Amino acid sequence: MRVFVTGASGFVGSAVVRDLLGAGHRVLGLARSDRSAAALEAAGAEVHRGDLGDPDGLCGPAAASDGVVHLAYRHDLMHTGDLTAAAGIDLRAVEALGAALEGSGKPLVAASGAGIVQASGPLATEEDPAAPGTHRTPAEEAVLALAGRGVRSCAVRLPLSVHGPGDRAFLPEVIRRARARGVSAYVGDGANRWPAVHVLDAAVLFRLALESAPAGGRLHGVAEEGIPFRAVAAAVGRRLGLPVRGLSGDEAAAHFGWLTPFAGLDVPVSSALTRERLGWRPTRPGLLADLEEGHYVEV
């Protein structure tokens, strides 16, 4: 297949590109900078210059491809607290990609977030819908609705911690703030749980979904159902030689900043249906083992 990948030079995207190429697919990657374009070319992918903020510019490469993997997201806006703007850009991109693929039967596999699920039991499952009003809910619902318009669409919900060498998201921010404040912290008693997946296992799931996932489904890219955040803080503290403390209220907000609602999030997630339906079997190190390898604290 010739696959158009948005976010192709990002942390998850670059792993997905390598996995697709390794499986014999051809990749056309979206690049908005010379640096991203060079990285894609070095990996063996074709390059389409463009930007997520120009949704009309996504239509041509999507229509000319055999399938699309949509991974790009304006995380920089999330970090400034502008979740609404980031979500709006994502929704418009999904709508443009869907319009380009409408009636074709081609696959569209789009990243979503496990943190938005409205769990009906002790573990969130693929059958649980996104909670109303969360920032990524409209885009996920738009992806699923495309199944009724002749697109083999599915949403892959990723956990807060997609970890591995090169990670630039939540876990590095937890470490950066621990270093800056001299304490590795968690919110309250730290019993809230973070699901996790290694980036290379996530990449395999995106490829499997592209190749064979049924239309209109939700998949959970989760290898570990839920790791207590205090265990994450303890591992960070041990690697950095810092004390570990629970913080509440204003103290927690001052320590974690924009990360506060995520640091306190409790979203244990199952991927049993995803494994059954696609034969996905995560094999890479877990989050705590990955932390112990040292690459997170070397910089």
Side-chain angles (χ1 to χ4, degrees):
M1 298 172 66
R2 185 172 189 256
V3 187
F4 179 45
V5 181
T6 73
S9 62
F11 174 54
V12 177
S14 58
V16 170
V17 167
R18 289 194 300 270
D19 190 83
L20 288 171
L21 292 170
H25 298 293
R26 293 178 295 148
V27 173
L28 174 64
L30 181 68
R32 64 174 180 172
S33 70
D34 292 342
R35 181 177 179 181
S36 294
L40 287 171
E41 289 174 344
E46 301 172 62
V47 174
H48 175 79
R49 294 300 294 261
D51 190 279
L52 199 62
D54 175 24
D56 290 342
L58 306 178
C59 295
S65 298
D66 300 312
V68 175
V69 177
H70 174 48
L71 299 166
Y73 199 81
R74 288 292 303 274
H75 294 287
D76 57 321
L77 294 176
M78 280 184 62
H79 297 173
T80 61
D82 201 346
L83 299 180
T84 301
I89 292 169
D90 188 38
L91 177 58
R92 290 188 290 274
V94 166
E95 291 171 340
L97 293 168
L101 298 178
E102 186 168 358
S104 68
K106 295 176 182 179
L108 168 61
V109 182
S112 186
I116 70 173
V117 64
Q118 182 170 292
S120 57
L123 283 174
T125 78
E126 294 87 340
E127 301 299 321
D128 291 321
T134 71
H135 66 288
R136 297 197 78 157
T137 296
E140 178 176 296
E141 291 178 343
V143 169
L144 301 181
L146 289 169
R149 294 165 52 192
V151 181
R152 184 163 63 81
S153 61
C154 70
V156 177
R157 289 169 170 167
L158 292 175
L160 283 173
S161 183
V162 181
H163 58 89
D167 182 5
R168 299 189 295 274
F170 293 102
L171 191 51
E173 182 68 8
V174 168
I175 294 168
R176 188 188 71 77
R177 288 176 180 271
R179 273 196 171 111
R181 289 160 177 78
V183 60
S184 183
Y186 50 85
V187 176
D189 64 2
N192 63 293
R193 293 152 293 179
W194 270 20
V197 68
H198 194 283
V199 66
L200 297 181
D201 284 325
V204 172
L205 178 57
F206 276 98
R207 173 174 53 79
L208 293 175
L210 181 83
E211 293 171 343
S212 62
R218 307 179 191 92
L219 301 171
H220 283 179
V222 171
E224 296 176 284
E225 293 177 344
I227 304 162
F229 194 79
R230 64 172 171 256
V232 176
V236 171
R238 185 165 55 253
R239 296 297 305 184
L240 297 180
L242 295 175
V244 182
R245 288 179 51 207
L247 305 175
S248 298
D250 292 343
E251 271 191 314
H255 181 95
F256 288 109
W258 66 266
L259 193 63
T260 305
F262 301 104
L265 201 59
D266 184 43
V267 281
V269 174
S270 168
S271 61
L273 292 177
T274 297
R275 298 178 193 225
E276 177 185 332
R277 291 168 180 167
L278 295 185
W280 180 56
R281 297 290 183 268
T283 60
R284 302 289 176 166
L287 175 59
L288 297 181
D290 207 6
L291 270 169
E292 293 298 340
E293 289 186 5
H295 58 85
Y296 271 101
V297 299
E298 287 171 354
V299 293

